[in-house]
Amino acid sequence: MNGDARPVRVFPPIRPVVGSLLEQFSWPVLLCLCLAVLWLSPFLWMIAAALRSDSSGADIASIIPQIPPSFRYFLAAFSSADWKMLYLNTLIFTFGTLAVQLVTITTAGYAFAFGNFRGREVLFQIFLIQLMLVPVVLMVPNMITLKSFNLLDTLTGVMAPYFASAFGVFLVRQAFKGVPKEMEEAALVEGANFLQILLHILIPAIWPVLLAFAIISVTYHWNEYLWPLMVLSNPDKQVLTVGLVSFAMGAEAGAEWGLIAAGTLLVCLPLMVAFIFFQKKFVGSFGFTELK
């Protein structure tokens, strides 16, 4: 055997492989992929930890799921909290707030877009000052107001401060500004009243904006923690986020990280499922829709 013979390469050299990848993907795409993997790593770890049979092992930090998966921690999480009550309270809080908001922002947006009254622009600018206020600053005045109306420790009291949204009014007002004035005038000539114009002409014309606001509102209120914690003291009226913290504190004392991950997935699961099924509508709602 010749001593100068070189060993046969079993695997292809790395440099050509990397070069071919760089030719297929540009640098911005590769950077976005790296950021996406980095952003997904906590979520992947949460899934892997929830599906392990033992969260006290040395492989608890791994993001590779166990095969076959174990649902022991999900069963333990279901039996450790009243999830049915927490889900029901959260649904009432989230979608009850959204229902009232859709009414207030559309009517207020119509008034600021088409109303003809003195001081309209000044009043609108004063109304938008709410966007500059940190929500924590308003908590104590809101609690005093709720106490005067005997709404503390009620779901109605939790929802009440969010019934009017300056951000939503701004979005709807700007969307109404883009609707041709001739559409409203033609409806008035045909004898339509305010409610008919709003329901059959204006709202269908701006439905992507309303959908975008609904996504933001549902996501924000589903994840709301501090305000429900301050207003609600009855355990039977708590929402998911407050219940999750109470549940996690007990599990954390026993270092049951798989149990905490399973409980966190139960809270995030509805939003994730909704995003998977309505992804195209979610993305399309934030796009620009030209009126024809």
Side-chain angles (χ1 to χ4, degrees), residues 78-252:
F78 271 118
S79 60
S80 300
D82 191 355
W83 294 100
K84 184 184 298 184
M85 178 201 65
L86 294 174
Y87 273 117
L88 179 60
N89 293 337
T90 304
L91 288 172
I92 294 174
F93 169 50
T94 302
F95 290 96
T97 302
L98 176 61
V100 178
Q101 282 181 334
L102 291 177
V103 175
T104 57
I105 66 174
T106 51
T107 52
Y110 179 88
F112 284 122
F114 299 110
N116 188 13
F117 55 90
R118 182 178 300 177
R120 183 187 64 177
E121 297 300 326
V122 176
L123 182 61
F124 179 68
Q125 293 174 7
I126 295 175
F127 189 78
L128 291 182
I129 294 178
Q130 180 187 347
L131 295 175
M132 303 175 62
L133 299 177
V134 181
V136 179
V137 177
L138 302 175
M139 285 187 175
V140 174
N142 286 337
M143 291 191 67
I144 295 175
T145 304
L146 293 179
K147 183 178 180 181
S148 63
F149 286 98
N150 295 322
L151 290 177
L152 284 177
D153 200 20
T154 63
L155 290 175
T156 304
V158 179
M159 294 186 290
Y162 298 107
F163 284 163
S165 171
F167 176 69
V169 173
F170 173 76
L171 283 180
V172 174
R173 186 250 189 185
Q174 295 303 112
F176 279 155
K177 285 285 189 180
V179 178
K181 185 69 175 177
E182 292 77 10
M183 296 177 64
E184 182 189 16
E185 294 175 351
L188 290 174
V189 171
E190 294 295 331
N193 55 32
F194 160 73
L195 189 59
Q196 291 172 334
I197 295 174
L198 191 64
L199 293 179
H200 300 290
I201 297 178
L202 296 179
I203 290 181
I206 67 164
W207 73 266
V209 175
L210 295 179
L211 180 58
F213 174 78
I215 296 168
I216 297 172
S217 176
V218 169
T219 304
Y220 178 83
H221 295 110
W222 189 275
N223 297 319
E224 180 69 22
Y225 169 71
L226 185 58
W227 176 244
L229 178 66
M230 294 183 63
V231 176
L232 300 174
S233 57
N234 189 346
D236 294 334
K237 298 178 181 178
Q238 294 293 357
V239 295
L240 277 170
T241 50
V242 179
L244 176 63
V245 172
S246 303
F247 165 79
M249 289 177 64
E252 187 176 359

Side-chain angles (χ1 to χ4, degrees), residues 12-23:
I14 297 178
R15 184 175 297 177
V17 174
V18 175
S20 63
L21 289 176
L22 292 178
E23 291 177 357

